[in-house]
């Protein structure tokens, strides 16, 4: 009988500890998290000087800057389309955006798959990715050039019950 009392008390202690850990677990924010990163990639070396420039469709680009924007689900839960309140959007003030590629990656080492449905407005001020399911480890990537501005583009993504870090 004494053994069953010890087993019962031990079971109750383990159950209470598990319940307490679940309530106090501060890692819950990590379950639903997307990281958005913006990286500028140098196009011309600093020593190129004014005589060297870049053209796009035969037109010389004024202060071109190449950017890579990546939105990666680093949480443990998937981000379904219906939870995306505002999809991945890139805007620029005082210049234009020229989208080069939009891709989807299953995981960091996977080859990129073309992302269809990316919309760019006619004025070239905004690019918006479609609402796409992002499972843990999935990444959306936009590669684009800004022209006519030295300011970095603004990137936004809003999702229900997800923490979006920039």
């Amino acid at each position: 009988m004494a053994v069953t009392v010890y087993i019962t008390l031990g079971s109750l202690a383990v159950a209470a500890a598990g319940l307490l850990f679940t309530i106090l677990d501060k890692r819950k924010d990590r379950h639903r998290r997307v990281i958005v990163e913006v990286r500028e990639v140098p196009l011309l070396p600093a020593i190129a000087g004014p005589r060297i420039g870049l053209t796009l469709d035969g037109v010389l680009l004024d202060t071109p800057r190449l950017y890579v924007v990546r939105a990666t689900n680093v949480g443990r839960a998937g981000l379904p389309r219906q939870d995306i309140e505002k999809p991945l959007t890139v805007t620029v003030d005082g210049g234009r955006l020229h989208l080069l590629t939009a891709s989807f990656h299953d995981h960091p080492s996977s080859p990129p798959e073309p992302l269809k449905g990316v919309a760019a407005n006619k004025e070239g001020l905004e690019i918006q990715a479609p609402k796409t399911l992002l499972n843990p480890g999935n990444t959306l990537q936009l590669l684009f050039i800004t022209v006519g501005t030295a300011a970095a583009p603004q990137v936004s993504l809003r999702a229900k019950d997800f923490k979006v870090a920039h």
Side-chain angles (χ1 to χ4, degrees), residues 67-97:
Y67 288 95
V68 177
V69 172
R70 295 174 61 92
T72 305
N73 184 349
V74 295
R76 296 181 187 158
L79 173 57
R81 291 180 198 167
Q82 62 269 17
D83 284 355
I84 299 174
E85 295 171 350
K86 181 179 181 187
L88 181 64
T89 305
V90 179
T91 56
V92 66
D93 291 328
R96 290 182 58 83
L97 292 167

Side-chain angles (χ1 to χ4, degrees), residues 104-154:
F104 176 83
H105 300 258
D106 279 333
H107 51 83
S109 62
S110 71
E113 300 172 22
L115 184 63
K116 297 180 185 343
V118 177
N121 67 3
K122 290 183 181 178
E123 295 82 31
L125 301 175
E126 181 178 277
I127 298 172
Q128 190 173 65
K131 292 182 177 182
T132 305
L133 168 68
L134 278 180
N135 285 320
N138 291 166
T139 299
L140 292 179
Q141 178 174 298
L142 300 174
L143 180 69
F144 59 91
I145 293 177
T146 61
V147 178
T149 182
Q154 292 86 38

Side-chain angles (χ1 to χ4, degrees), residues 6 11 34 43 81 86 146 158:
Y6 288 126
S11 298
V34 174
L43 286 172
R81 291 180 198 167
K86 181 179 181 187
T146 61
R158 195 170 52 243

